[in-house]
Amino acid sequence: MNKRLVKRIALAIATVFLMLVIVLGIHIYVVTRPQPPDEHTIIMARIDIKQDIHQSDVDKITACLYKQKGVNHVLVNPESKIAVFTFFALQNNGDNIVNNFKATSGYKAERNLPSKEELKSGCPVSSNSVSGRLAAYLKHVF
């Protein structure tokens, strides 16, 4: 092979690599920027029940939460005394659902909201990773 062909191949490989890095950067920017909720946005919330519950209570809690406007799915664990539900963001909000649940069901409960530290630790893109640093850079630039 002559030098000219090797240079062309190296230039083509470098160009493809650069294009892939640019596409990755654009993808990370689009995925990580905040977006307003739309009719398809589903949010998950958690209720901690502050009293002992049994299987009959699980059925009552599930039925009560399903009666709330916008609730999509409900799971209740009697051992951990936790109810997790999903709801459509444009139809209702989590605080309203929890307040209505407490008022209508009579159970002692409160909504569990994660702290700032818990939110930071739950991020799948580590701040020390290459993609995490690239996402932080793109957020800073744009």
Side-chain angles (χ1 to χ4, degrees), residues 6-51:
V6 171
K7 284 183 182 181
R8 278 188 168 178
I9 291 172
L11 182 62
I13 291 172
T15 302
V16 168
F17 180 75
L18 181 63
M19 295 296 273
L20 290 173
V21 168
I22 290 171
V23 168
L24 177 64
I26 292 169
H27 170 74
I28 290 173
Y29 170 73
V30 169
V31 170
T32 59
R33 69 181 184 168
Q35 298 173 348
D38 62 8
E39 66 273 1
H40 303 292
T41 303
I42 296 177
I43 297 177
M44 183 180 287
R46 172 180 156 178
I47 300 174
D48 291 338
I49 301 166
K50 302 296 182 185
Q51 63 191 60

Side-chain angles (χ1 to χ4, degrees), residues 49-95:
I49 301 166
K50 302 296 182 185
Q51 63 191 60
D52 288 334
I53 58 174
H54 305 287
Q55 187 59 43
S56 60
D57 296 316
V58 168
D59 298 335
K60 291 176 189 175
I61 292 167
T62 302
C64 185
L65 285 171
Y66 271 123
K67 288 179 186 175
Q68 304 291 327
K69 180 180 179 183
V71 172
N72 181 40
H73 192 68
V74 178
L75 295 170
V76 181
N77 186 331
E79 288 85 30
S80 63
K81 299 184 275 186
I82 294 174
V84 177
F85 62 95
T86 59
F87 62 94
F88 291 100
L90 293 183
Q91 293 181 15
N92 209 339
N93 87 32
D95 291 331

Side-chain angles (χ1 to χ4, degrees), residues 29 135-142:
Y29 170 73
Y137 174 75
L138 290 174
K139 284 182 181 179
H140 178 71
V141 169
F142 297 105

